[in-house]
Amino acid sequence: MYYFPTTHPSTARFGRMLLGRQAAFGRLCHFWRCFLRTVVYIDGYNLYYGLLRKSGLKWLDLVTLFNDHVLDKALDLVEVRYYTAPVLGRMSDDPHSPQRQRQYLQALRKINPTKLTIVEGRILATTPHQWLVNPIPEAPHLQTVQVYDFSEKKTDVNLASDIIAGAWTNQYQQAVICSNDSDLEGALATVKRYHPHLRIGIVAPITGDDHRRISKDLSQHADWAKILSPVHLAASQLPDRIPHSAIRKPESW
């Protein structure tokens, strides 16, 4: 709170003028959402399986995507946090997938050394026995089969924890979550419950333009929500060769 002594008329007039300008600036910033310190949290596997897997747009510059195409130009994008896990060769249709992923992560780190943070979890591979839904005619005696099961570990927990920690440590005025995974609902609800002044945005990596497909579990705690456009993905590709490095876009992906 500002305190201006009333014993000096010029000081009082200056105080009223300053408070008036601050109030006007505050209203203007509220209207335009200007200069909000913004951190983007990207669920890497949700983005991959939601939009990128069957596209030719995997060589994606995440900072350019959000800084130049998805977010308001008046915002202050302070950090993009990308949550992923190393691919296992035996879980991939193509044995070169792990190498391509490593190339991609190297490219991201090289071209965005200051604004991008990559947070890696891990993939846990197990071989559980699962019950058959329908019998196999050639082996009617079989009731269970052994399968490979791959589970992504730590990624969701890391992402949710960082969203909550960022609110408590004043890292952002706005958190933008690139995911359509309802498992993050608890984190968003917690932020809104204890920090209602912070803004939350949802950028859903889903196909089509039907906004009803955005997770209601997430959007109910958000100030705004939108669907990530493939047009923006296409406009945000990394260069084929990363400058000042030997890193190149894989020939096939």
Side-chain angles (χ1 to χ4, degrees):
M1 178 179 294
Y2 290 90
Y3 172 72
F4 299 99
T6 57
T7 56
H8 198 299
S10 62
T11 303
R13 285 196 300 273
F14 176 77
R16 288 193 295 270
M17 180 180 68
L18 179 60
L19 289 174
R21 289 181 177 177
Q22 287 174 336
F25 182 76
R27 289 193 296 271
L28 181 63
C29 276
H30 178 73
F31 180 77
W32 288 106
R33 306 189 302 279
C34 57
F35 304 118
L36 286 175
R37 284 182 290 106
T38 299
V39 176
V40 175
Y41 299 86
I42 302 174
D43 181 341
Y45 273 77
N46 200 263
L47 171 61
Y48 179 81
Y49 286 104
L51 277 181
L52 297 179
R53 185 183 184 188
K54 296 182 180 180
S55 78
L57 304 174
K58 303 182 186 73
W59 196 240
L60 181 62
D61 187 334
L62 299 171
V63 173
T64 295
L65 173 65
F66 284 89
N67 194 59
D68 296 351
H69 300 288
V70 175
L71 299 179
D72 193 310
K73 296 294 190 296
L75 298 177
D76 177 18
L77 179 59
V78 296
E79 187 180 17
V80 174
R81 299 182 64 84
Y82 179 58
Y83 298 80
T84 187
V87 174
L88 298 179
R90 61 182 181 276
M91 70 174 283
S92 307
D93 297 332
D94 187 334
H96 298 293
S97 291
Q99 179 184 351
R100 288 196 293 260
Q101 185 196 37
R102 286 194 296 271
Q103 284 178 256
Y104 177 57
L105 296 181
Q106 289 171 355
L108 288 178
R109 290 187 176 102
K110 182 68 177 179
I111 208 160
N112 293 300
T114 58
K115 281 199 172 184
L116 180 73
T117 300
I118 299 174
V119 182
E120 293 192 50
R122 63 189 179 92
I123 300 293
L124 178 65
T126 59
T127 55
H129 286 80
Q130 302 283 0
W131 289 92
L132 288 171
V133 175
N134 297 306
I136 300 174
E138 294 79 8
H141 60 285
L142 282 180
Q143 294 183 317
T144 64
V145 292
Q146 190 174 18
V147 299
Y148 277 117
D149 182 69
F150 300 98
S151 302
E152 190 181 358
K153 294 295 184 182
K154 297 186 179 181
T155 297
D156 289 347
V157 173
N158 287 339
L159 202 163
S161 299
D162 286 351
I163 292 171
I164 293 172
W168 258 264
T169 57
N170 196 33
Q171 291 180 10
Y172 60 77
Q173 295 168 304
Q174 175 174 243
V176 175
I177 291 82
C178 181
S179 180
N180 205 41
D181 187 347
S182 60
D183 286 349
L184 297 174
E185 179 190 3
L188 305 192
T190 297
V191 170
K192 274 300 183 183
R193 183 182 306 119
Y194 295 101
H195 301 275
H197 62 287
L198 297 179
R199 292 179 60 83
I200 292 177
I202 303 297
V203 178
I206 56 179
T207 56
D209 56 4
D210 185 353
H211 281 69
R212 291 173 297 182
R213 295 181 57 228
I214 298 175
S215 169
K216 291 182 179 179
D217 291 334
L218 301 184
S219 62
Q220 67 178 321
H221 304 293
D223 296 281
W224 56 268
K226 64 167 65 174
I227 293 175
L228 187 56
S229 169
V231 174
H232 294 158
L233 298 177
S236 306
Q237 295 296 293
L238 292 162
D240 287 351
R241 181 180 178 275
I242 304 303
H244 312 295
S245 77
I247 306 169
R248 293 182 177 274
K249 179 181 179 180
E251 292 183 4
S252 62
W253 198 355

